[in-house]
């Protein structure tokens, strides 16, 4: 049934949080609509007087005059409302250890951590880096920062010492929070060692490293180090939160762009929280009193920020936080967790769904998944086959799937079905949600609506959770997002088209950003990691279509004269390990081809398009602009040899 679509059942529609009239309200009064969302989903210490100040575009100010404390919104207000006994977090550790954390518990833990950070000298405005596995302390540390108005910069636990060093330096973080190790598939993997290496030296801005005891692995100890339990556990469980301006910075999150240097995406407090909470309610159809929600993302990515920490906690949800992987100790681990906690809303990524498809439908079939009533997808386009499998085998053939398009930069969901309203079209993220406006432009920057024509996705109005800039680089912010089609349009970097029903289909990145298993990687960043290896003279990287991971990293390298005769297999293995060490194992190329030339235009630009043709096993496209067309023949011969 390739063309089948799926209307919401009347029962689902009747109880849904997100209703059709939201579209009309937002259409009629854009600012009034968002003001209402901000007042509904956020508790303000001081109400705002101006909904949107766009006079300094593209630098937006939302909810001007308003004051709030984000952590208070995520924790304290639920306790005050009498829900202190509600479970905030069902923590499921990688080793089978568990914790049940109520909102009252969370409040105490966040207050203690806020007091601890204060003792270390952290003040409003100071930056704190967080490099932790998926353990409760990660969430507690983020909220403690929010409570103090000290922007956090969470660094994904898979990143290397170099990646930590550059992020810590860029944000000038005074404190890093890490752990003595992390559990990975039954083994203990080091974590603190990367931090040690990253903060070593006089020039590091880091004064203190707070170390959570997680694995009892032996760690080296330095003057900067302090154990989390020794510092935090003795603190008072009370802490008076200060109100912050709506535009007070909440966090910086680094993400790949088209150049080698990651961008520090800046998000602020009021607008971010309002849209994270609002979208979590209407898109995931969250009923905080009855649902058990589970977002499988790591807090190192934006999905973990908006839909594991800020959105669900602002809404007072009960959620599962899982430290481990889907396939350890067995491939039914996720479904075992769904059954155990009666998870009703599951939000995950297409790459995970494809992996489960490969393992087979008989695995989820062994568990009782009948609690599931909403499924979500994020990070990359979900192919219709995976969509149908997800609905059939995880969603009991009836759960609506929300395919949510958004970005680190947008802070929250922008394009998605509403599960109680939208007739679902597998593979398409469909329509902008109420309050959001998108268009598709052609090469000339003209909007069009013709079906099946491919163009560029743009956003045409500011939105509350939009990035407020790139940390320390206003020029790059304007140039990257607000110049491609003029200052009226936010350029998302994604290709898109409409279908005949007006649904939007996202078609992947149009810039030099790759999407591997939902992780954003820049070709330039991996190229510079390769070139930093002593044997490499030149490198070109492309993202090639891949059945499992969406895209896979393919690298083409020219070796230096003296290395060219070395054992090629070993060189390739060394280079893969080198990239993993320089950036992260997720950036490791799937394939590295040693070549003698790279295809270049007369102006010296590498024609990645042709390399992509090779990697995807296609006929090579137009190569007439190459300086030397025979280069591609050599590369193709090399391919058939391998
Ligand atoms: C891609 C993740 C198609 C897109 C929240 C975007 C998607 C980039 C979808 C942002 C989706 C994310 N359908 N593509 N539902 N969701 N993308 O910053 O290319 O890690 O620009 O944010 O992921 O990735 P990021």
């Amino acid at each position: 049934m390739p063309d089948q679509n799926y209307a919401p059942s009347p029962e689902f529609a009747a109880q849904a949080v997100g209703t059709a009239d939201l579209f009309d309200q937002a259409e009629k009064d854009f600012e009034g609509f968002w003001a209402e969302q901000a007042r509904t989903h956020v508790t303000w210490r001081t109400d705002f007087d101006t909904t949107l100040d766009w006079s300094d575009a593209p630098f937006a100010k939302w909810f001007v005059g308003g004051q709030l404390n984000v952590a208070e919104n995520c924790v304290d207000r639920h306790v005050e409302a009498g829900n202190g006994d509600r479970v905030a977090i069902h923590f499921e550790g990688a080793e089978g250890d568990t914790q049940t954390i109520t909102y009252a518990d969370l409040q105490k833990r966040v207050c203690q951590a806020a007091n601890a950070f204060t003792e270390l000298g952290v003040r409003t405005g100071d930056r704190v880096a967080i490099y932790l596995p998926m353990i409760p302390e990660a969430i507690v540390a983020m909220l403690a920062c929010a409570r103090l108005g000290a922007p956090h910069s969470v660094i994904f636990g898979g990143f290397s010492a170099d990646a930590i060093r550059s992020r810590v330096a860029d944000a000038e973080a005074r404190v890093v929070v890490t752990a003595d190790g992390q559990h990975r598939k039954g083994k203990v993997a080091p974590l603190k060692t990367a931090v040690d290496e990253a903060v070593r030296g006089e020039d590091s801005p880091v004064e203190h490293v707070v170390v959570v005891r997680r694995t009892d692995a032996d760690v080296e100890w330095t003057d900067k180090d302090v154990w989390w339990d020794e510092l935090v556990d003795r603190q008072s469980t009370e802490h008076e939160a200060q109100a912050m301006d709506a535009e007070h910075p909440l966090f910086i999150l680094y993400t790949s762009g088209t150049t080698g240097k990651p961008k520090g995406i800046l998000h602020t407090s009021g607008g971010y929280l309002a849209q994270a909470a609002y979208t979590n309610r209407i898109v995931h159809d969250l009923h905080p009193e009855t649902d058990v929600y589970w977002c499988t993302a790591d807090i190192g990515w934006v999905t973990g920020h908006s839909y594991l920490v800020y959105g669900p906690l602002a809404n007072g949800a009960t959620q599962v936080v899982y430290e481990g992987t889907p396939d350890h100790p067995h491939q039914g681990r996720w479904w075992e967790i769904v059954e155990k906690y009666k998870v009703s809303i599951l939000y995950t990524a297409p790459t995970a769904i494809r992996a489960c498809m490969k393992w087979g439908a008989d695995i989820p079939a062994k568990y009782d998944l009948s609690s599931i009533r909403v499924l979500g997808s994020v990070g990359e386009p979900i192919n219709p086959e995976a969509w149908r499998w997800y609905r059939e085998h995880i969603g009991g053939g009836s759960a609506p799937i929300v395919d949510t398009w958004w970005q680190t930069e947008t802070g929250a969901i922008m394009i998605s079905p509403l599960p109680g309203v939208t007739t679902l079209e597998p593979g398409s993220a469909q329509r902008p949600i109420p309050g959001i406006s998108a268009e598709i432009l052609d090469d000339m920057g003209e909007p069009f609506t013709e079906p099946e024509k491919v163009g560029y996705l743009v956003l045409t109005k500011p939105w509350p959770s939009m990035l407020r800039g790139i940390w320390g680089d206003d020029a790059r912010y304007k140039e990257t997002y607000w110049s491609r089609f003029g200052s009226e349009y936010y350029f998302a970097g994604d290709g898109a088209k409409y279908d005949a029903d007006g649904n939007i289909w996202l078609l992947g990145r149009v810039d030099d950003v790759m999407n591997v298993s939902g992780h954003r990687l820049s070709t330039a960043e991996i190229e510079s990691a390769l070139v930093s290896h002593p044997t490499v003279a030149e490198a070109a990287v492309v993202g090639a279509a891949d059945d499992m991971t969406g895209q896979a990293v393919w690298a083409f390298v020219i070796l230096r004269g003296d290395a060219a005769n070395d054992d090629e297999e070993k060189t390739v293995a060394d280079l893969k390990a080198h990239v993993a060490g320089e950036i992260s194992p997720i950036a490791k190329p799937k394939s590295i081809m040693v070549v003698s030339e790279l295809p270049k235009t007369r102006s010296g630009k590498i024609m990645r398009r042709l390399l992509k043709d090779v990697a995807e096993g296609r006929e090579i496209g137009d190569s007439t602009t190459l300086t030397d067309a025979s280069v591609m023949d050599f590369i193709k011969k090399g391919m058939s040899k391998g």
Side-chain angles (χ1 to χ4, degrees):
M1 281 170 276
D3 287 330
Q4 193 186 344
N5 54 23
Y6 305 84
S9 71
E11 301 78 51
F12 192 99
Q15 60 80 60
V17 186
T19 50
D21 56 303
L22 291 174
F23 288 98
D24 305 331
Q25 288 170 25
E27 190 70 27
K28 272 192 208 109
D29 178 8
F30 172 73
E31 288 191 24
F33 173 81
W34 279 117
E36 188 180 325
Q37 300 316 319
R39 291 192 178 107
T40 305
H41 298 286
V42 172
T43 302
W44 298 84
R45 289 260 200 105
T46 312
D47 193 18
F48 50 90
D49 45 61
T50 306
T51 300
L52 169 65
D53 175 358
W54 190 230
S55 58
D56 186 25
F59 298 91
K61 292 194 190 75
W62 281 90
F63 311 125
V64 185
Q67 289 205 317
L68 76 162
N69 186 287
V70 169
E72 211 170 61
N73 269 276
C74 291
V75 186
D76 306 55
R77 66 166 167 162
H78 307 311
V79 180
E80 274 152 34
N83 294 320
D85 291 340
R86 184 183 295 169
V87 175
I89 297 170
H90 288 295
F91 173 66
E92 187 74 22
E95 296 301 284
D97 54 318
T98 61
Q99 290 178 44
T100 306
I101 303 170
T102 64
Y103 275 96
D105 299 332
L106 192 60
Q107 184 182 35
K108 289 187 192 126
R109 292 177 69 165
V110 172
C111 287
Q112 284 186 309
N115 286 323
F117 291 169
T118 304
E119 188 181 304
L120 295 182
V122 176
R123 298 288 174 266
T124 302
D126 289 346
R127 272 80 62 200
V128 173
I130 298 174
Y131 182 69
L132 281 172
M134 285 289 293
I135 54 177
E137 285 82 353
I139 298 168
V140 169
M142 289 167 77
L143 292 170
C145 288
R147 199 171 181 97
L148 297 174
H152 54 69
S153 162
V154 179
I155 304 170
F156 173 61
F159 277 127
S160 66
D162 276 343
I164 303 170
R165 189 201 308 278
S166 63
R167 284 160 173 76
V168 160
D170 188 71
E172 295 172 282
R174 295 181 62 179
V175 171
V176 181
V177 186
T178 188
D180 59 358
Q182 58 182 332
H183 295 293
R184 291 288 299 167
K185 301 197 182 200
K187 297 204 181 74
V188 170
L191 197 70
K192 181 174 181 293
T193 41
V195 175
D196 291 345
E197 208 181 312
V199 307
R200 198 172 290 148
E202 297 275 289
D203 54 343
S204 173
V206 174
E207 293 158 29
H208 302 284
V209 176
V210 185
V211 188
V212 177
R213 249 184 261 268
R214 179 63 187 143
T215 60
D216 283 330
D218 282 334
V219 287
E220 280 189 37
W221 208 245
T222 76
D223 299 346
K224 292 181 178 176
D225 297 340
V226 46
W227 285 110
W228 171 283
D229 50 320
E230 288 176 9
L231 173 72
V232 175
D233 293 358
R234 62 180 165 75
Q235 303 290 335
S236 161
T237 54
E238 273 162 40
H239 175 269
E240 199 172 323
Q242 300 300 309
M244 310 285 155
D245 285 338
E247 285 298 337
H248 188 80
L250 180 63
F251 66 85
I252 306 167
L253 184 58
Y254 288 83
T255 188
S256 298
T258 49
T259 71
K261 190 172 176 278
K263 303 177 281 199
I265 302 299
L266 174 66
H267 283 287
T268 59
S269 302
Y272 170 80
L273 191 68
Q275 195 175 330
Y278 156 74
T279 49
N280 180 228
R281 286 272 283 151
I282 66 155
V283 175
H284 297 113
D285 193 47
L286 178 74
H287 295 70
E289 311 77 28
T290 48
D291 275 313
V292 178
Y293 169 88
W294 183 17
C295 166
T296 65
D298 190 282
I299 48 138
W301 312 114
V302 74
T303 308
H305 283 59
S306 304
Y307 297 107
L308 192 138
V309 180
Y310 293 110
L313 294 177
N315 287 326
T318 294
Q319 66 176 325
V320 172
V321 172
Y322 175 49
E323 184 188 20
T325 55
D327 58 348
H328 182 82
H330 57 82
Q331 293 172 338
R333 185 71 177 111
W334 272 13
W335 317 124
E336 191 174 76
I337 294 173
V338 168
E339 181 180 279
K340 174 172 174 187
Y341 294 106
K342 299 194 167 47
V343 170
S344 54
I345 305 172
L346 177 70
Y347 191 32
T348 191
T351 186
I353 299 162
R354 289 193 298 265
C356 294
M357 273 173 86
K358 194 178 82 178
W359 298 335
D362 53 319
I363 296 175
K366 287 186 212 139
Y367 300 89
D368 177 6
L369 307 182
S370 60
S371 53
I372 288 187
R373 54 175 211 92
V374 180
L375 295 172
S377 172
V378 59
E380 54 174 320
I382 177 166
N383 36 318
E385 308 75 63
W387 196 105
R388 292 204 171 83
W389 189 93
Y390 193 27
R391 179 171 166 109
E392 190 58 36
H393 298 286
I394 308 303
S398 63
I401 298 176
V402 288
D403 174 2
T404 62
W405 178 89
W406 59 294
Q407 311 176 297
T408 306
E409 291 86 342
T410 69
I413 294 167
M414 304 293 283
I415 303 180
S416 169
L418 295 189
V421 178
T422 315
T423 294
L424 303 172
E425 182 66 47
S428 164
Q430 303 197 267
R431 309 283 165 117
I433 60 163
I436 300 300
S437 319
E439 280 188 273
I440 304 179
L441 306 185
D442 65 16
D443 281 321
M444 305 307 292
E446 291 300 324
F448 65 85
T449 51
E450 281 161 73
E452 301 308 321
K453 177 172 158 180
V454 173
Y456 304 92
L457 181 75
V458 295
L459 302 167
T460 56
K461 278 189 188 146
W463 60 101
S465 65
M466 68 193 290
L467 74 167
R468 298 304 196 263
I470 295 176
W471 186 255
D473 201 344
D474 288 353
R476 191 176 177 195
Y477 168 59
K478 286 189 186 161
E479 197 213 287
T480 310
Y481 305 106
W482 301 95
S483 69
R484 179 75 161 78
F485 295 111
S487 57
E488 296 294 295
Y489 292 116
Y490 169 88
F491 174 63
D494 277 317
K497 64 169 191 181
Y498 292 106
D499 65 16
D501 298 322
N503 292 309
I504 297 175
W505 292 69
L506 280 312
L507 303 172
R509 302 288 306 187
V510 293
D511 52 13
D512 293 331
V513 173
M514 297 170 289
N515 190 327
V516 178
S517 297
H519 300 319
R520 263 169 82 167
L521 298 169
S522 106
T523 53
E525 202 179 353
I526 300 177
E527 284 165 6
S528 59
L530 284 165
V531 176
S532 76
H533 193 271
T535 62
V536 176
E538 229 184 315
V541 165
V542 296
D546 187 279
D547 282 349
M548 283 313 290
T549 56
Q551 282 189 312
V553 179
W554 280 61
F556 299 81
V557 296
I558 303 177
L559 297 180
R560 294 197 184 182
D562 44 354
N565 296 324
D566 291 355
D567 173 3
E568 200 172 298
E569 232 169 83
K570 180 170 179 305
T571 310
V572 166
D574 287 351
L575 291 178
K576 286 186 181 176
H578 179 69
V579 173
E582 287 286 299
I583 306 172
S584 154
I586 55 179
K588 193 158 80 177
K590 178 172 177 184
S591 158
I592 299 183
M593 269 192 73
V594 176
V595 295
S596 54
E597 294 286 348
L598 288 169
K600 285 188 189 157
T601 61
R602 286 175 189 92
S603 59
K605 226 174 161 271
I606 294 174
M607 290 190 72
R608 292 199 180 74
R609 176 171 60 76
L610 300 179
L611 294 173
K612 208 167 156 156
D613 288 341
V614 171
E616 294 179 349
R618 254 197 314 273
E619 262 317 287
I620 309 277
D622 182 4
S623 59
T624 47
T625 53
L626 285 181
T627 31
D628 175 4
S630 65
V631 168
M632 290 316 296
D633 294 335
F634 285 115
I635 294 180
K636 264 191 355 200
K637 275 205 200 99
M639 274 292 288
S640 51
K641 180 183 81 188

